[in-house]
Amino acid sequence: MNLLIKSATIVDPNSSFNQQVADILIKNGTITEIAKDIKADVTVFDATGKYVSPGFLDLNCNIGELGLESKENLQTGTAAAAAGGFTGIALMPNTQPPVHSKAEVEYLLNRAKGNLVDVYPLGTLSHKREGKDLAEMYDMYLSGAKAFTDGNRPVQDAGLMERALLYTKGFEATVFSYPEDTAIAGKAKVNEGEMSTLLGMKGIPSLAEELMIARDLYPAEYTNSKIHFSTISTARSVELIKEAKKKGLKVTCDVAAHHLVLTDDVLAGFDSLYKVKPPLRTHKDVKALITGLKDGTIDAIVSQHTPHEIEFKDVEFEVAEFGIISFQTTFALALKAGLSVDLIVQKLAVNPRAILDLEQATIKADQKANLVVFDTTTAWKYTKENNKSKSYNSPYIGETLKGQVLLSCNNNHLFKSNLS
């Protein structure tokens, strides 16, 4: 792949060209030159007024392989990821079978070879995600698993969490915790508050999330191990993690993009497309999450891409599955939340790689071209036709969004948007 990107504003804190307008020449998938005015007999992409940054990396997404390919497979999932600017994705092990041994890790890595999007399988923390016995974490780590989590099943056994943290410390891996106390959350479907009362539905109190964060911070401190909290959603959660960071704990966290722009007010119409977990919270929580991103408490933004067949979403709210597809809307939602370009790049590209202990994708000469070109002003309509996912469970299909990914480049492959 040979390409000349003209007059792009480079946003990369690890590059000496950060905040400069320059041309970027890519030959055979490698950045060969960055300068003010490059002449070359290759395809030219005019990026005047646009931005280029390292490719985004998603720390929380679901793709159906293994076993749930009717929801999404690696081909459609990585196509949607590339269209959203993601050149790397960390796959949750919420599959059938779950990714709980080196066989599943190696299968996914082999299936993903040669793709524009780098795939990083996350191994399960417990065998079969049952929350009883530790999985074969070291074997999975040697095969390429980058972190360990039971995905959307919170670990209820504090002893198991403590043993997992202690065990992974031996090879410096990170444990991802989905914070929810199921004894408190129960089978509720929405946030506990005014809206749940109005809807006549039992709610999930913020305490269910906050109590689990408080609990997991203790064994993380006791073992001096790395812990990452996935998709926090409440104001108090932000406070707890901020306090832990001040104490010097090895703690990081992320937030799903939709939790930055949506509140439980949108549930007034019982639209199951807005049914997510953790549930949409309140305006106070949204404000605290955005503040947490800006002050550095929250390290990353994730898509939490969760595809479902129509029969699991186009049903009554109570029985619908949790989750929305979101690879192609994450960047636009981050802009909608009022975040600056610099901050978005930090939370979508730089910090996620640091959390997984990956080499940074850097925009400089003699480096592999792992980058995304985007603008912040162009409006585009998200439709079933330009949706790259196999599933359609997004409340934003049919909506006009501002902020568009124009190019994604990685592994000598190029995605170019055809959005009008």
Side-chain angles (χ1 to χ4, degrees), residues 24-329:
I24 302 171
L25 180 60
I26 301 169
K27 289 188 175 180
N28 299 318
T30 298
I31 298 173
T32 59
E33 185 180 0
I34 302 175
K36 280 294 182 185
D37 188 19
I38 299 173
K39 307 293 184 183
D41 186 20
V42 296
T43 302
V44 176
F45 182 83
D46 184 4
T48 304
K50 318 268 190 303
Y51 299 89
V52 61
S53 80
F56 304 153
L57 189 142
D58 192 4
L59 290 175
N60 186 320
C61 62
N62 298 276
I63 288 178
E65 287 193 58
L66 309 151
L68 299 171
E69 288 86 354
S70 59
K71 297 179 184 293
E72 190 88 276
N73 57 43
L74 277 170
Q75 181 180 2
T76 59
T78 53
F86 293 100
T87 60
I89 54 175
L91 296 182
M92 285 288 162
N94 310 330
T95 51
Q96 294 177 356
V99 184
H100 66 148
S101 74
K102 66 178 184 179
E104 292 86 22
V105 173
E106 290 171 359
Y107 170 84
L108 289 170
L109 290 173
N110 285 328
R111 283 277 290 140
K113 280 182 179 177
N115 203 299
L116 185 154
V117 179
D118 296 319
V119 172
Y120 303 102
L122 303 180
T124 63
L125 186 149
S126 69
H127 181 62
K128 294 183 179 179
R129 293 204 301 150
E130 292 175 347
K132 297 177 182 178
D133 302 307
L134 288 180
E136 301 168 355
M137 290 189 283
Y138 188 58
D139 277 355
M140 288 189 281
Y141 175 77
L142 292 177
S143 293
K146 291 301 180 182
F148 300 93
T149 174
D150 275 355
N152 58 3
R153 290 186 185 174
V155 177
Q156 298 303 301
D157 187 330
L160 182 68
M161 177 59 77
E162 185 266 342
R163 291 192 294 277
L165 287 164
L166 190 60
Y167 185 66
T168 53
K169 182 183 177 183
F171 46 98
E172 297 186 345
T174 300
V175 167
F176 281 28
S177 169
Y178 169 54
E180 181 188 82
D181 189 312
T182 57
I184 293 175
K187 296 181 179 180
K189 312 294 182 182
V190 298
N191 178 56
E192 181 183 83
E194 292 181 11
M195 183 54 64
S196 65
T197 303
L198 180 65
L199 298 176
M201 300 176 69
K202 182 174 174 56
I204 302 174
S206 58
L207 176 66
E209 175 175 308
E210 296 151 8
L211 188 62
M212 191 60 81
I213 288 177
R215 189 207 73 176
D216 284 352
L217 285 171
Y218 280 104
E221 182 177 21
Y222 178 74
T223 60
N224 192 30
S225 301
K226 294 188 291 185
I227 191 167
H228 177 84
F229 291 102
S230 297
T231 60
I232 68 169
S233 64
T234 78
R236 180 60 180 145
S237 294
V238 177
E239 292 176 14
L240 288 167
I241 292 168
K242 188 173 186 176
E243 292 164 6
K245 286 189 170 188
K246 285 181 179 178
K247 290 174 65 176
L249 272 65
K250 299 174 182 177
V251 57
T252 53
C253 66
D254 64 55
V255 61
H258 46 266
H259 280 112
L260 301 175
V261 296
L262 296 173
T263 69
D264 56 2
D265 290 345
V266 300
L267 302 179
F270 291 97
D271 187 344
S272 62
L273 290 175
Y274 291 106
K275 185 178 180 182
V276 294
K277 204 169 190 184
L280 299 176
R281 304 288 188 181
T282 67
H283 289 280
K284 176 185 175 184
D285 295 309
V286 169
K287 184 177 179 181
L289 293 169
I290 292 173
T291 299
L293 283 166
K294 292 179 178 179
D295 68 18
T297 302
I298 301 176
D299 302 273
I301 299 170
V302 299
S303 75
Q304 203 186 21
H305 179 83
T306 307
H308 288 298
E309 304 92 331
I310 189 170
E311 58 265 30
F312 290 102
K313 290 297 281 188
D314 192 14
V315 292
E316 293 84 357
F317 193 94
E318 279 283 347
V319 298
E321 292 287 341
F322 294 100
I324 62 176
I325 58 168
S326 41
F327 278 142
Q328 291 175 250
T329 57

